[in-house]
Amino acid sequence: MERLDKVLANLGYGTRKEVKAIVKDGIVEVDDVVVNDSGMKIDPEKSKIKVFGKLINYKKFIYLLMNKPDGVVSATFDNYDETVIDLLEPEHQVFEPFPVGRLDKDTVGLLLITNDGELNHRLISPKWHVDKVYYAEIDKAVTDEDVKAFAEGIVLDDGYKCLPAKLEILEADENGSRVNVTIQEGKFHQVKRMFISRDKNVVYLQRIKFGPIELDNELEEGTYRELSEEEVKILKEI
Ligand code: URA
C-alpha cells in the first residue's frame, strides 16, 4: 500500500504539494469515488485511479529500448556531456530510470534503460553471461587468425583473459573490415581493446543485440520506445 500523493507524484502529476491541491479540488477518483484525502493508502497496482476523469495506467517499472546516438554518455548525470537520460521525455524521466550497463560515448546502438534494479543486476552480472552482439568496422583486414584468437579468449592490455568470443567476418580487405562480434562480458572498452590486442582499431561500433533483444531498425539514433510486454517477458526469462 502506498500514499495516494506519492503515487501521483511518481506518475508526474507534480510535487506532493501540487498533488495535494488537485486532490483537494476533487479531481481525483479512486475506484470511482472522488477522494479528498491525499494521504489515503491505496494499492496502485489494484486501485482504479482517475485524474480529470482519465484512467491512469500505473506501473512501477519502465523498460525502454534506445538507439543510442554518438556523443552522448550512458549515465544518469554528467557535468559536461549530454546523457541518455537527458534524451528521454519527462513522462519517462519521472520513473528515474538508468542505463543497463554502458556504451562508450562514441558507441551507438541498442541500450536498455530501466528503473528495475533487480533485472538490471541480472543483465549486467558477469555470472549470467548475457550475449551482446556488436557490429564493428575495423581499420585493417580481419583474418581467420583473429577469429581463432577471439574464440580462444583474447588477453587484454591489463592481463585479463576474456571469455571466448565469436568474431564473424562480413567483409575484409586491406582497406578495412566489417565484422560482428559476440561477447558475454562488459569490460571497459572491451571490444576496442580486444582488437587493439590484435593490432587493429575499431573505427565504428554499434550494438545490435542484447540477450534476446534486437536493435529496432525503425528507431532512429537518439530515439527510443518502450519494450513490448513480450520483450520484457523474454528478458526476465534469461
Ligand atoms: N566495447 C567497447 O569497446 N565499447 C563499447 O561501448 C561496448 C563494448
Side-chain angles (χ1 to χ4, degrees):
M1 300 292 273
E2 286 190 58
R3 283 177 62 108
L4 177 62
D5 52 3
K6 185 167 169 234
V7 171
L8 291 173
N10 285 348
L11 285 165
Y13 282 92
T15 60
R16 287 254 200 136
K17 206 167 148 204
E18 287 159 351
V19 164
K20 257 195 186 100
I22 63 166
V23 172
K24 263 223 172 89
D25 286 345
I27 293 163
V28 180
E29 286 169 57
V30 175
D31 296 329
D32 298 321
V33 178
V34 174
V35 294
N36 49 30
D37 174 13
S38 59
M40 80 181 280
K41 292 280 181 78
I42 58 158
D43 179 345
E45 313 266 355
K46 293 205 182 110
S47 305
K48 205 166 94 190
I49 310 166
K50 283 188 190 168
V51 179
F52 292 113
K54 196 175 151 231
L55 190 63
I56 286 171
N57 181 13
Y58 180 84
K59 51 190 172 191
K60 194 162 173 191
F61 297 125
I62 51 158
Y63 304 91
L64 305 174
L65 165 61
M66 177 179 280
N67 186 355
K68 179 193 169 296
D70 184 16
V72 172
V73 294
S74 305
T76 48
F77 173 80
D78 194 275
N79 273 326
Y80 304 101
D81 291 308
E82 196 174 23
T83 72
V84 290
I85 303 302
D86 294 330
L87 300 179
L88 303 181
E89 297 293 334
E91 67 182 279
H92 296 120
Q93 286 177 344
V94 295
F95 286 89
E96 300 184 347
F98 43 83
V100 176
R102 278 167 185 263
L103 289 178
D104 296 337
K105 188 173 161 183
D106 62 353
T107 300
V108 298
L110 194 164
L111 183 68
L112 296 177
I113 298 174
T114 186
N115 59 345
D116 183 341
E118 205 179 306
L119 182 68
N120 172 60
H121 183 73
R122 208 138 43 90
L123 293 177
I124 62 174
S125 160
K127 269 199 304 203
W128 289 78
H129 295 173
V130 176
D131 275 354
K132 277 142 295 211
V133 186
Y134 295 86
Y135 163 77
E137 293 177 5
I138 312 299
D139 63 344
K140 295 182 186 137
V142 174
T143 63
D144 290 342
E145 284 86 75
D146 295 324
V147 174
K148 199 159 160 264
F150 272 54
E152 281 167 3
I154 295 279
V155 178
L156 299 179
D157 43 13
D158 59 2
Y160 175 79
K161 186 167 193 275
C162 299
L163 288 174
K166 185 171 147 205
L167 173 58
E168 189 189 347
I169 302 172
L170 305 174
E171 198 179 351
D173 62 38
E174 60 285 358
N175 297 320
S177 312
R178 300 189 309 111
V179 299
N180 280 340
V181 186
T182 305
I183 58 173
Q184 296 185 323
E185 304 156 285
K187 301 277 169 220
F188 187 59
H189 298 328
Q190 182 161 342
V191 174
K192 292 174 185 163
R193 287 161 70 206
M194 287 167 91
F195 278 100
I196 287 173
S197 87
R198 303 293 301 166
D199 202 24
K200 290 166 189 159
N201 296 296
V202 171
V203 292
Y204 176 83
L205 192 60
Q206 177 192 40
R207 184 155 64 192
I208 54 176
K209 204 165 172 208
F210 189 111
I213 307 294
E214 295 197 34
L215 182 61
D216 185 336
N217 289 324
E218 308 263 292
L219 282 180
E220 290 195 18
E221 279 181 20
T223 66
Y224 65 97
R225 66 164 170 84
E226 290 198 39
L227 288 183
S228 67
E229 277 180 29
E230 182 59 23
E231 286 171 319
V232 173
K233 189 164 157 263
I234 55 172
L235 206 48
K236 287 184 174 172
E237 280 167 1
I238 287 183

